């Protein structure tokens, strides 16, 4: 089985969740081939080769990120002290295509293509989530969803991840196999 995990991450939390999902898939099936890629490096050939495509991103303004929300995140990060690694990742992501643009270039899936969607989000009333929008876009590209969209919790808008979320992501990844 070949799994491709495509993620967008501003502060590293979504990347950490994507990597934990990859670990979970490997734990469930040690022979599985797993590619875990930032959205800017996920080309159509890589996604076409996947038996399972897992896509995730951060929640911005109640849903999937946009060019505007990524630029706002970079501006907010620039004002914080001692966050240079996160600021660098945020700048790189903001300059890249983002999931919305990536979906425009995603080819229609062939018969039997499977997918799953996840996001990172804060745990607040009416905070929303990106995973449902990601799942809708995957479905519109004719992917069969193998799991309900999943949200992983960050403690603040820019993290850190809530204790236990990496273990939960590994378990979710294992359940996808």
């Amino acid at each position: 089985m070949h799994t491709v995990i495509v993620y967008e991450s501003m502060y590293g939390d979504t990347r950490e969740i994507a990597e934990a999902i990859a670990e979970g898939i490997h734990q469930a099936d040690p022979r599985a081939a797993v590619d875990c890629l930032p959205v800017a490096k996920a080309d159509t050939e890589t996604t076409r080769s996947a038996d399972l495509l897992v896509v995730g991103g951060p929640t911005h303004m109640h849903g999937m990120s946009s060019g505007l929300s990524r630029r706002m995140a970079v501006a907010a990060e620039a004002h914080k002290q001692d966050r240079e690694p996160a600021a660098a990742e945020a700048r790189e992501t903001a300059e890249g295509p983002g999931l919305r643009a990536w979906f425009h270039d995603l080819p229609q899936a062939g018969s039997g293509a499977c997918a799953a969607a996840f996001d990172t989000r804060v745990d607040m009333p009416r905070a929303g989530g990106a995973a449902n929008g990601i799942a809708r876009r995957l479905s519109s590209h004719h992917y069969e969803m193998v799991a309900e969209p999943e949200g992983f919790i960050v403690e603040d808008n820019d993290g850190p991840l809530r204790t236990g979320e990496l273990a939960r992501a590994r378990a979710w990844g294992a359940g996808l196999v």
Side-chain angles (χ1 to χ4, degrees):
M1 180 172 128
H2 179 216
T3 299
V4 175
I5 302 170
V6 177
Y7 65 88
E8 178 182 317
S9 184
M10 296 294 297
Y11 305 114
D13 299 314
T14 309
R15 175 182 37 78
E16 287 183 49
I17 293 294
E19 291 167 351
I21 292 168
E23 290 171 15
I25 291 168
H26 275 296
Q27 288 170 354
D29 182 0
R31 296 173 299 145
V34 181
D35 295 316
C36 188
L37 306 165
V39 65
K41 294 183 180 175
D43 60 30
T44 56
E45 287 306 310
T46 304
T47 57
R48 277 182 204 236
S49 69
D51 299 305
L52 173 63
L53 178 61
V54 181
V55 181
T59 299
H60 287 191
M61 300 192 295
H62 309 288
M64 287 177 59
S65 69
S66 65
L68 173 63
S69 71
R70 289 193 308 275
R71 287 189 301 275
M72 289 170 58
V74 169
E77 195 62 33
H79 296 292
K80 295 182 180 174
Q81 302 281 334
D82 302 323
R83 294 281 304 218
E84 185 51 38
E89 186 168 13
R91 280 192 304 275
E92 183 178 312
T93 299
E95 293 167 5
L99 283 177
R100 286 180 190 261
W102 179 80
F103 272 115
H104 289 294
D105 295 330
L106 182 66
Q108 297 295 314
S111 178
C114 297
F118 72 95
D119 67 30
T120 52
R121 60 178 77 169
V122 293
D123 186 15
M124 295 180 353
R126 297 182 294 280
N132 287 334
I134 293 168
R136 277 193 304 277
R137 283 169 175 80
L138 287 165
S139 293
S140 74
H141 281 82
H142 304 291
Y143 283 89
E144 178 185 336
M145 301 306 293
V146 297
E148 290 295 316
E150 189 63 54
F152 297 93
I153 306 299
V154 294
E155 292 295 348
D156 197 2
N157 286 337
D158 56 355
L161 288 164
R162 179 175 283 172
T163 301
E165 290 300 90
L166 291 176
R168 200 165 69 79
R170 282 190 288 276
W172 188 76
L176 297 175
V177 176

